[in-house]
Amino acid sequence: MARVARQDPEQFSREGTHPVDEVLPAGKLTLYGFQHVLAFYAGAVIVPIVVGNALGLSHEELVYLINADLLTCGIATIIQALGVWKIGARLPLVQGVTFTAVSPMIAIGLGAGGGTAGLLVVYGAVITAGIATFLFAPFFSKLVKFFPPVVIGTILTIIGLTLIPQGLQDAAGGAKLIGHPGYGDLKNLGYALGTLLFILAVVRLGKPYLSSLAVLLGLVAGTGVAWCLGDADFGAVNNADWFGVSTPFHYGMPKFELFPIIAMVVVMLITMVETTGDVYAIGEITRKRVDNATVASALRADGVATVLGGVLNSFPYVAFAENIGLVRMSKVMSRFVVVAAGCFMIVMGLLPKAGSVVAAIPHPVLGGASIAMFGMVATVGVQILGKVDLREERNALILAVSFAAALLPNAVEPFFQRMPEDLRAVLDSGITLGSLTAVLLNLFFNVFTRRRTMEIDWDEIEADEPDEAPRPMDAYPPADPYTPAAPYGASGQPTQPGVPGAHPKPGAPGPHAPQQPHAPQHPQQPQGPQWGPPGH
């Protein structure tokens, strides 16, 4: 098995389009885009539902929040995937309301009296935090060196493991059935298990094109079976309006108060770490080079989307980890598929009746699909952690203590109930607490001690290559980025023989010449982005 260095981006652009930038046919864009919407929908609407119910909003106000959220999600997703100026990572990232902000927003809203009055204070904090995120983005992106694989891998694994219980909750019947005899009913678990098994069977037995639609087909099949058995109710579709527009400042002008703003800025700092991890995760999956400029563009998009959310009666936004799992499962990497998904979200935000059709998917069916997708998010984190030397005690402690901190809010809830409201608004989240712990422990162990941490080396993104000439890049199916004979990546510069992650130093004598496609290469190295060995 020979090794072929991945191509330089400029050379690649001359020979063919990277799968991330490929525009698929309209039919595939429609199907793959709608699949993203289905995978995203439950997570998208759960935040306005939870926050609205906690603040005591009426049913009409709750429906308005959901429509506003979908509309803003669509606009934010298009900005992130398509890119405008230096805003947007131009990667297949779907934008959604961050779960990290749920507890803080509820605390802020209830502290302001609840109802629409509480929403106005929340929106003031959201708009201010969004502006701060946009302005701080280029500075934050330069801190990426402080987020080595042990931090990013830990955060992504925590996100996935924290979301899996939500999928399991849906599989049992949904949060609304908790305390009801129907919660955990065998019928609900049967729908969830049937949907999950159907998805696994399609991935195992189906052709690549069908495998890439496994989640969509699973949701349609599961909903169809539930409807035939009388467990899927589409009655709300008839009662929904055909058209509805979310107007800016629908509930009144936002109120700007100091402590809510501070709490929301802290939340956005955590989401910036989360987005950084998501950007590197999608780079890992798509084999697309990620640098500081990419991270800064993604964070600016988060800031713009968050400001837009405060104006259009929605909430803070972040790259959605669920859809990163879907990209990994489907192997469809085109960012224009995500743009198509954004268009669908805008339509659903303007057409409540269309959104109500998707909302009719039974919770157990959605839970079965979510288990696979959330698990894939954690898998990406584990994949990155696989590049970390966990025999090193400091790395192992960062991982171990961060996992424990992430479980604390759910395991010992009374501890957080006794906290001051302002502090609870920040820490009562497993993702927030676990992410903060990983960042702070890395600073304590590796940065403040001037101990050299591992950094991402995108020049080492390589794939196993058979001993034959590679085909032209446009000959590969766009839906399968892991075809072994499809080299593309960041750099054509070879590494020093026998030294993984080592590159010729500038000015070193006898620089290597670019290798020919047919030339035998160095011994096989692990696939994926490589991080250099830790040093002191």
Side-chain angles (χ1 to χ4, degrees), residues 328-514:
R328 174 68 183 272
M329 287 186 64
S330 67
K331 300 180 182 178
V332 178
M333 301 186 296
S334 172
R335 61 191 174 102
F336 295 99
V337 168
V338 172
V339 172
C343 294
F344 276 119
M345 295 175 208
I346 292 175
V347 171
M348 292 169 64
L350 297 175
L351 300 176
K353 192 175 288 291
S356 65
V357 173
V358 180
I361 297 176
H363 282 281
V365 173
L366 196 58
S370 297
I371 291 170
M373 291 186 298
F374 296 163
M376 291 301 289
V377 176
T379 300
V380 174
V382 173
Q383 180 179 340
I384 293 177
L385 287 173
K387 307 173 190 307
V388 178
D389 183 8
L390 293 179
R391 293 171 298 181
E392 165 61 49
E393 186 180 37
R394 302 184 185 194
N395 290 334
L397 281 173
I398 291 172
L399 180 63
V401 178
S402 299
F403 278 1
L407 296 175
L408 186 58
N410 289 331
V412 193
E413 188 174 349
F415 174 74
F416 293 88
Q417 292 175 347
R418 295 184 176 94
M419 280 186 176
E421 285 295 329
D422 293 336
L423 189 59
R424 181 183 176 187
V426 177
L427 297 180
D428 192 9
S429 165
I431 295 176
T432 302
L433 201 56
S435 301
L436 273 176
T437 302
V439 172
L440 294 176
L441 286 179
N442 179 65
L443 292 175
F444 176 72
F445 281 133
N446 297 325
V447 178
F448 294 156
T449 59
R450 297 184 180 180
R451 182 175 181 268
R452 184 181 168 196
T453 58
M454 295 181 292
E455 296 182 4
I456 295 174
D457 184 0
W458 290 94
D459 291 342
E460 284 297 311
I461 301 178
E462 297 182 347
D464 290 331
E465 179 73 9
D467 296 321
E468 61 182 29
R471 294 178 291 171
M473 297 313 300
D474 56 2
Y476 295 96
D480 191 357
Y482 295 106
T483 303
Y488 51 84
S491 175
Q493 294 297 330
T495 59
Q496 296 177 9
V499 184
H503 293 268
K505 296 182 179 179
H512 293 281

Side-chain angles (χ1 to χ4, degrees), residues 518-534:
H518 300 281
Q521 306 298 313
H522 304 308
Q524 182 170 336
Q525 300 174 13
Q527 181 178 352
Q530 304 298 317
W531 285 270

Side-chain angles (χ1 to χ4, degrees), residues 239-323:
N239 299 327
D241 294 331
W242 278 104
F243 186 76
V245 179
S246 177
T247 57
F249 307 121
H250 174 75
Y251 298 104
M253 292 303 296
K255 295 181 179 179
F256 300 89
E257 298 183 5
L258 180 59
F259 286 108
I261 288 175
I262 293 174
M264 197 57 62
V265 168
V266 173
V267 167
M268 289 307 295
L269 287 174
I270 299 302
T271 62
M272 292 170 81
V273 177
E274 181 181 343
T275 293
T276 300
D278 289 339
V279 171
Y280 277 108
I282 203 69
E284 169 92 3
I285 292 169
T286 63
R287 304 293 190 253
K288 183 76 169 179
R289 189 185 187 97
V290 171
D291 54 19
N292 290 357
T294 308
V295 174
S297 297
L299 295 176
R300 288 191 190 97
D302 279 359
V304 170
T306 299
V307 173
L308 194 62
V311 172
L312 293 179
N313 318 292
S314 190
F315 305 109
Y317 284 85
V318 70
F320 236 45
E322 291 91 324
N323 292 80

Side-chain angles (χ1 to χ4, degrees), residues 44-67 69 97 101-110 113-120 122-123 176 251 313-315:
V45 301
I46 192 65
V47 173
I49 289 174
V50 171
V51 174
N53 285 332
L55 298 184
L57 300 183
S58 65
H59 176 74
E60 292 75 15
E61 291 169 334
L62 197 59
V63 171
Y64 194 91
L65 276 186
I66 294 174
N67 290 337
D69 178 33
V97 178
V102 171
S103 296
M105 288 191 299
I106 292 175
I108 292 171
L110 292 177
T116 56
L119 276 180
L120 296 180
V122 169
Y123 290 147
K176 290 185 177 180
Y251 298 104
N313 318 292
S314 190
F315 305 109

Side-chain angles (χ1 to χ4, degrees), residues 170 173 188 191 219 222-224 226-227 231-234 358-368:
D170 281 333
N188 293 333
Y191 284 135
L219 290 171
T223 302
W227 181 75
D231 292 319
D233 183 13
F234 290 90
V358 180
I361 297 176
H363 282 281
V365 173
L366 196 58

